[in-house]
Every structure is written in structure tokens, then in C-alpha cells.
Amino acid sequence: MNCIICNGPVGFYFSRHFGQYGLEDVEYWRCEECGFTFSKTHAEMDGQAWQQVNRRFHEEFFGSALNKLDLRWVSRLNRQAELLADATDIGLLPRTGKWLDYGCGDGKLSELMKKNHGLTLLKYDEYLPASPDCLAGDDLKPGGFDFVITTSLFEHITTREHLDRVHSLVSPEGAMGLHTLVRKEIPKDPDWFYLHPVHCAFFTNESMRILLLQWGYSCSVYN
């Protein structure tokens, strides 16, 4: 097995016991070169089992304003909506472009964009029950969107093919918005706060730098 980011060698890092959502002992492996860390247990799940874990976890708070594992969830989405609106005001993003929230969950960000800023953010989610106004998989055409945003999605992705699929949706002159935790290194700590049952991919600064270069992004507004 090799790293899905840099193709470097990977090895066992640590494990954690969950005992919920159908998960027992989960093994986390780490790339020796770029530091990208991932759950080998999740990567080896079949699609149906992974979908069930996702649904059971997210059903506890979707449709609600309270997420006990992320108490600032809604306030963060409001700030993201404000930032995107500001980006259109200064010409960084095209107000008339075709926008997509990939992995939209319950669609809360799209609702905030429409209600508070009059902007249309189309929605798609592969694993969770779709609302009637969500796009279907067949609607996702390569290069078909001027702006693709993923909010708390990259930490849920188990394959390189899935990462590349998200990037492929961005038009040649388009932009990607990416919200995920990025660190200098991933702690070797089974009690680390970010080890949620559905979090299975953890990016270092180096692994994210390599990924963006591989995708050909010429610049980034990066925090």
C-alpha cells in the first residue's frame, strides 16, 4: 500500500477503539514522506458499510442547529457564506457562475447563501439522503462548475479517485473552495479530538501542498 497523495510508503501509526456506528478497532496509517494519515479500516470498507456509518453518524444532528461534536457548526457556515459573498463583491468569484456544494449534507450552507446573500449554490451528496432539489450523480459533468466548494468533506474521503473526482468538476478557469483541518503533522494520539467515527483522512501542510500542485492550481488563498 502506498500514499494516495505522494505515492510514498505508508505504515501503521496507531489505533483507536470506537464501539459505535458499527466501528470497533480502527487502524490509522501514516505516509513516511508527506505525513498524510488515513484510516486503513475505513479505506477497506465496502461502499454500503461506509454509507451506513455516514448516515448513522450524521442523522444525529442534520436538520438541527446543534452538533455536539462541533458546537460552532452553524456559526462557521454563516461565516463561510459571508466570505463567499465578499469574494463575489471583489470579483474573486463570478456572481453569475455555476456553483456547487459537493458533499452538501443537509444543505445548510446553500440555504444560507440563498437566504442571506441571494446566491445560488447547487447541492450534491453521494452518501446521505438527497433532498428533492439536490443534483443527481449524472448531473456532475467534468469541468461543469465555475466554483466547487467542499465543507468538512476531505476528511471523509477514502480513495484518491474520489479526491480527483471532486477536482475534475472545476472548470478550467474555475476555483475550488476547501474546508478541512490541515496541520504541520498529525498527532499520534488515539484521544485526538478530530478522530470522529467518520473522519478517515488527515492532511499535513506538505500533503496538501503536493495535492494542489498535482491538480495544477497556480495560486491559493490559504489559511
Side-chain angles (χ1 to χ4, degrees), residues 83-96 99 173 175:
L83 184 145
L84 294 178
D86 289 345
T88 65
D89 291 340
I90 64 174
L92 189 62
L93 292 175
R95 177 173 288 271
T96 58
W99 292 13
E173 301 301 323

Side-chain angles (χ1 to χ4, degrees), residues 5-108:
I5 305 300
C6 73
N7 204 40
V10 298
F12 176 78
Y13 199 34
F14 64 91
S15 64
R16 170 172 174 157
H17 180 77
F18 281 98
Q20 59 182 158
Y21 308 109
L23 293 175
E24 297 302 328
D25 292 323
V26 173
E27 289 189 3
Y28 298 92
W29 287 40
R30 178 182 179 274
C31 176
E32 297 175 9
E33 295 186 2
C34 74
F36 176 74
T37 302
F38 65 98
S39 164
K40 184 171 181 288
T41 304
H42 287 73
E44 293 176 344
M45 282 184 185
D46 63 48
Q48 185 174 8
W50 180 217
Q51 183 177 33
Q52 287 301 314
V53 173
N54 262 291
R55 285 194 177 189
R56 290 174 64 183
F57 177 83
H58 290 99
E59 281 174 352
E60 294 189 355
F61 63 89
F62 271 0
S64 166
L66 177 64
N67 176 0
K68 63 183 180 182
L69 294 177
D70 185 357
L71 296 177
R72 294 185 294 175
W73 175 47
V74 175
S75 63
R76 171 171 52 77
L77 289 177
N78 270 293
R79 291 292 295 124
Q80 289 174 347
E82 292 171 4
L83 184 145
L84 294 178
D86 289 345
T88 65
D89 291 340
I90 64 174
L92 189 62
L93 292 175
R95 177 173 288 271
T96 58
K98 193 174 182 182
W99 292 13
L100 174 68
D101 182 0
Y102 186 103
C104 66
D106 64 355
K108 195 171 263 77

Side-chain angles (χ1 to χ4, degrees), residues 97-107 110 120-149 165-166 169-170:
K98 193 174 182 182
W99 292 13
L100 174 68
D101 182 0
Y102 186 103
C104 66
D106 64 355
S110 178
T120 298
L121 181 61
L122 302 172
K123 299 181 293 183
Y124 172 78
D125 200 294
E126 179 177 0
Y127 291 110
L128 299 171
S131 60
D133 58 344
C134 276
L135 299 181
D138 291 343
D139 298 320
L140 304 184
K141 306 300 182 185
F145 300 90
D146 301 295
F147 178 60
V148 177
I149 186 169
R165 188 187 321 153
V166 178
L169 300 174
V170 183

Side-chain angles (χ1 to χ4, degrees), residues 83 178-183 205 208 212 220-223:
L83 184 145
L178 170 59
H179 171 266
T180 193
L181 180 66
V182 182
R183 291 176 50 104
N205 292 324
M208 184 59 72
L212 295 179
S220 65
V221 181
Y222 177 55
N223 185 340

Side-chain angles (χ1 to χ4, degrees), residues 134-170:
C134 276
L135 299 181
D138 291 343
D139 298 320
L140 304 184
K141 306 300 182 185
F145 300 90
D146 301 295
F147 178 60
V148 177
I149 186 169
T150 66
T151 299
S152 301
L153 174 77
F154 270 37
E155 59 268 37
H156 297 72
I157 288 181
T158 59
T159 68
R160 178 57 189 248
E161 290 75 18
H162 197 172
L163 287 171
D164 288 338
R165 188 187 321 153
V166 178
H167 159 65
S168 73
L169 300 174
V170 183

